[in-house]
Amino acid sequence: MKKNLVLGVAKGYGWDILEPFVLSCKKNCPSAEIVFFVDDISDFTREYLIGAGVLLGNFPKELNNGIPNNTRWKIFLDFLEMYGDAYEQIFITDTRDVIFQGDVFAAFKNYRNYLGLTTEADDIRGSKSGNRINYDWIVGCLGEAEADKLADKKIICCGTVIGTSAEMKIFCRELWKILEHKTKDIFDQAVTNYLAYNNLLPIENLIEIDVEHGEIFTMGMCRHKLPIHEDKILRIDWDIPSVVHQYDRHNKLINIVDEIYHDKNFQADKNFSDMRSVIEQATCLLFANKIGDAARLFMKKFLVTKDFEGCVKALTRFWEITMRNPLSPASELMELSAQSALSSVKNFSAADWNEICILLNRAQESQHPIDPEFKNYIVTELLKLAGKKFSLKEREQYLSCIEMIISIEGGQISWQRK
């Protein structure tokens, strides 16, 4: 009997992020093999993934310059062309914001020659949420006329796709035919909607996995209060979906997932001495409510190293998780140390800047400590960036970050937009 396959990419993620996905999948989909293509992960995360039974492939270097959400389809296609016939059903999925609450493959076992596409709780024009990002993606990729034609259609999310082996290969192949020839303003989700709604996928049984009743619950655009029963997140119809996607768009659900799907008995392994592994292990200790152990581990390394350049995402996540804990001398020390560590980083991406600004704002709102020197450093760096030649959109993003930080009490910089 053929196995089933869960296939994803983990690029830049730590075990602290991937643990809910991996452990919930192993528990609820016992017939499935998990394969991740990985890049930019720590030794600690690599060892824990292997220890959990995840099969790892390396993200091809020649695809590193592309957008990961797009280039992953080339990786998936190549893998399925070689090994896809060994599997009955294949679930291609995001890894950062997905948990399993049941056996998703069992729910589709009676389907033959099928591909299941999940829909979201809004149309492409964003009539309910006001979020027009999917419309804008289609405009950027395929033009305004195509976007207008599809505007009233339900959003199809390409972050979770399930199907039989041959049909999944067809989907990956048709998607990559378009993605590989466009290098700018191209989004895999826009192309997915274009292919599906224009009947350009030569698949016998193309099914919709509806947001209200489907086994895969793509919940990011759901705006009503989502029901929870015991340790399960329920769908709009109050039933239990096998897969929950985009739970991290809802702060309450982030806390629930963190409480349920992280090992409360986690122990740090001192054999991992690189800074990134230390930070990720300290974060896992925070999930286990071992704040003192996390502080000792982090501070022991923090006091003797300035190697933070490659740890920005791990550091910001560590700061974020620390901030969720009740304020104590240990957690305050870790928060201020994380800020100090980030002050030594010389190169932030636009996404990094945005995340730091969000965390600063959250710290202010929750009355958690902010180092005035850190705030001043961030504003000074942003002012330098705002004066450089960027697109209007990028410059506006930097200026908005500055305005937000300036509004936070403390620090010595005053500034007004001209």
Side-chain angles (χ1 to χ4, degrees):
M1 184 176 178
K2 291 184 178 180
K3 295 177 288 186
N4 296 315
L5 172 67
V6 175
L7 186 57
V9 164
K11 192 174 174 67
Y13 297 153
W15 175 248
D16 55 298
I17 292 174
L18 298 170
E19 184 181 26
F21 180 106
V22 173
L23 297 189
S24 65
C25 184
K26 298 291 289 186
K27 176 182 177 181
N28 291 292
C29 301
S31 68
E33 196 163 73
I34 305 174
V35 174
F36 282 174
F37 283 88
V38 299
D39 183 49
D40 186 24
I41 64 171
S42 69
D43 294 340
F44 161 67
T45 292
R46 183 179 292 275
E47 184 162 316
Y48 265 67
L49 286 170
I50 293 171
V54 179
L55 302 178
L56 302 183
N58 291 321
F59 200 97
K61 291 182 179 179
E62 63 270 20
L63 296 176
N64 269 337
N65 292 329
I67 300 171
N69 273 16
N70 292 342
T71 54
R72 60 177 172 166
W73 297 103
K74 170 61 172 170
I75 298 171
F76 297 155
L77 176 60
D78 289 347
F79 179 82
L80 294 178
E81 292 284 10
M82 293 181 66
Y83 304 109
D85 292 343
Y87 301 101
E88 184 68 30
Q89 297 183 81
I90 296 163
F91 181 41
I92 290 180
T93 175
D94 293 348
T95 55
R96 175 184 56 81
D97 57 356
V98 169
I99 56 167
F100 295 78
Q101 300 187 133
D103 188 345
V104 67
F105 298 105
F108 295 94
K109 65 181 180 181
N110 294 325
Y111 287 86
R112 296 291 178 267
N113 306 320
Y114 83 96
L115 185 78
L117 299 175
T118 59
T119 54
E120 300 194 43
D122 203 352
D123 57 32
I124 286 170
R125 76 167 75 249
S127 299
K128 297 177 182 178
S129 66
N131 187 336
R132 291 170 57 88
I133 190 168
N134 283 272
Y135 179 88
D136 292 341
W137 284 343
I138 297 174
V139 170
C141 298
L142 304 158
E144 191 171 349
E146 187 64 39
D148 287 339
K149 186 172 76 173
L150 301 180
D152 294 328
K153 302 291 188 182
K154 293 181 182 178
I155 297 167
I156 295 173
C157 176
C158 67
T160 49
V161 183
I162 192 168
T164 37
S165 178
E167 285 63 37
M168 190 62 79
K169 280 189 273 188
I170 291 171
F171 176 68
C172 293
R173 190 179 302 119
E174 295 302 316
L175 195 56
W176 184 244
K177 278 182 185 179
I178 298 177
L179 292 173
E180 71 171 323
H181 295 300
K182 291 183 178 285
T183 58
K184 187 178 181 182
D185 294 329
I186 185 76
F187 299 92
D188 58 347
Q189 188 150 302
V191 177
T192 297
N193 281 267
Y194 166 75
L195 291 171
Y197 286 126
N198 285 287
N199 299 314
L200 296 175
L201 292 171
I203 290 172
E204 177 183 339
N205 191 11
L206 191 63
I207 64 172
E208 176 191 351
I209 304 172
D210 182 72
V211 68
E212 294 189 9
H213 310 290
E215 285 300 322
I216 302 170
F217 182 28
T218 305
M219 63 185 305
M221 290 191 172
C222 295
R223 291 293 176 259
H224 60 286
K225 186 176 181 180
L226 294 162
I228 298 164
H229 178 66
E230 294 179 348
D231 62 349
K232 304 294 185 184
I233 299 169
L234 306 185
R235 255 187 336 246
I236 296 171
D237 63 359
W238 287 67
D239 205 349
I240 301 172
S242 296
V243 172
V244 176
H245 180 211
Q246 299 178 345
Y247 66 83
D248 65 343
R249 273 61 160 187
H250 304 266
N251 288 333
K252 182 178 179 182
L253 298 184
I254 293 174
N255 294 331
I256 289 171
V257 168
D258 286 344
E259 181 63 29
I260 295 171
Y261 294 99
H262 287 283
D263 179 13
K264 295 298 182 286
N265 296 313
F266 178 81
Q267 299 285 340
D269 187 338
K270 295 180 181 178
N271 291 327
F272 298 105
S273 59
D274 63 286
M275 192 66 217
R276 186 164 171 186
S277 290
V278 168
I279 296 168
E280 290 171 0
Q281 288 190 88
T283 304
C284 289
L285 287 168
L286 290 175
F287 283 127
N289 296 318
K290 299 177 179 178
I291 298 176
D293 289 347
R296 282 188 288 273
L297 178 67
F298 181 72
M299 291 306 299
K300 183 177 180 181
K301 186 69 174 179
F302 172 78
L303 292 172
V304 297
T305 186
K306 289 297 180 183
D307 179 27
F308 299 113
E309 199 69 32
C311 303
V312 174
K313 288 181 174 59
L315 272 169
T316 50
R317 177 157 172 83
F318 178 63
W319 179 16
E320 176 200 356
I321 303 305
T322 301
M323 205 184 303
R324 293 188 206 169
N325 287 274
L327 198 56
S328 67
S331 64
E332 182 173 1
L333 178 64
M334 285 189 289
E335 288 180 48
L336 291 172
S337 298
Q339 293 170 36
S340 177
L342 287 166
S343 296
S344 70
V345 175
K346 304 303 179 187
N347 295 297
F348 291 113
S349 68
D352 294 333
W353 284 119
N354 187 58
E355 185 64 26
I356 289 169
C357 289
I358 289 171
L359 290 175
L360 276 168
N361 193 44
R362 193 179 301 169
Q364 166 73 3
E365 291 176 348
S366 59
Q367 297 184 323
H368 276 244
I370 298 175
D371 182 351
E373 291 185 7
F374 174 61
K375 174 193 161 182
N376 292 342
Y377 165 75
I378 295 299
V379 173
T380 301
E381 292 300 306
L382 283 170
L383 283 170
K384 291 178 185 177
L385 287 171
K388 293 183 178 180
K389 291 183 178 181
F390 289 100
S391 68
L392 185 61
K393 182 178 179 181
E394 288 175 314
R395 187 172 185 275
E396 183 64 29
Q397 180 179 5
Y398 288 132
L399 292 175
S400 296
C401 287
I402 293 169
E403 287 178 334
M404 189 277 289
I405 298 175
I406 290 293
S407 68
I408 298 173
E409 295 178 2
Q412 300 171 349
I413 294 177
S414 61
W415 173 81
Q416 186 174 1
R417 185 192 293 229
K418 295 181 180 179

